[in-house]
Amino acid sequence: MPKACNSRMDSFFEAMAEHNRLGEWGEELVCQHLIKEGHAIVERNWRMDHLELDIVAEKDEWIAFVEVKTRRVEGERLSDVITPRKISRIVRAANGYLTSHRIELKPRFDVAFIFGTPSSYKLEYIPDAFLPKLRTYR
């Protein structure tokens, strides 16, 4: 491979590694927040096929499926990052989780935004951020 291609690939992988570290930091911050609020963290990065749940937490009669979005700069709105397609994927994963673990707690879908870096950040936590669409059968 030409040297210029290697350089671009190296830059790409370095950027992805930084992106992943930022996301892991954000998820850890949200876990700490949930624990302080009395939740038990049950799962992190739970996968089923190509679907993933960032955090699964329990408190009282609720099970919270938490989607975490970490950004360096503030500015995005909930509707910018939690699209109908993303909601569908989260709900399908949550359904798989509830079914495979035979859980009968009430499900809730939360979203956490972290803006900034470890030295200076803002955490915005939105419980019940969205409701799943119910399917009707005839």
Side-chain angles (χ1 to χ4, degrees), residues 28-115:
E28 181 59 32
L29 194 66
V30 173
C31 283
Q32 291 172 15
H33 169 78
L34 287 166
I35 290 167
K36 284 180 190 172
E37 295 293 317
H39 291 79
I41 305 302
V42 181
E43 298 274 0
R44 288 181 68 172
N45 304 114
W46 184 83
R47 293 180 186 277
M48 180 186 79
D49 300 326
H50 297 290
L51 304 172
E52 180 184 16
L53 298 168
D54 291 337
I55 300 171
V56 180
E58 293 180 0
K59 182 179 179 183
D60 302 325
E61 71 273 9
W62 294 96
I63 184 164
F65 299 101
V66 185
E67 178 68 14
V68 179
K69 295 296 180 186
T70 308
R71 301 291 188 262
R72 289 195 180 285
V73 181
E74 195 169 352
E76 291 181 301
R77 298 173 308 197
L78 181 63
S79 60
D80 293 335
V81 292
I82 307 297
T83 63
R85 182 170 187 252
K86 183 68 174 174
I87 289 171
S88 174
R89 293 178 63 80
I90 294 168
V91 169
R92 286 189 352 244
N95 186 54
Y97 185 87
L98 292 170
T99 303
S100 67
H101 290 79
R102 300 176 192 248
I103 292 175
E104 296 185 18
L105 297 172
K106 297 176 190 174
R108 188 179 77 205
F109 297 92
D110 299 356
V111 174
F113 278 121
I114 298 95
F115 301 103

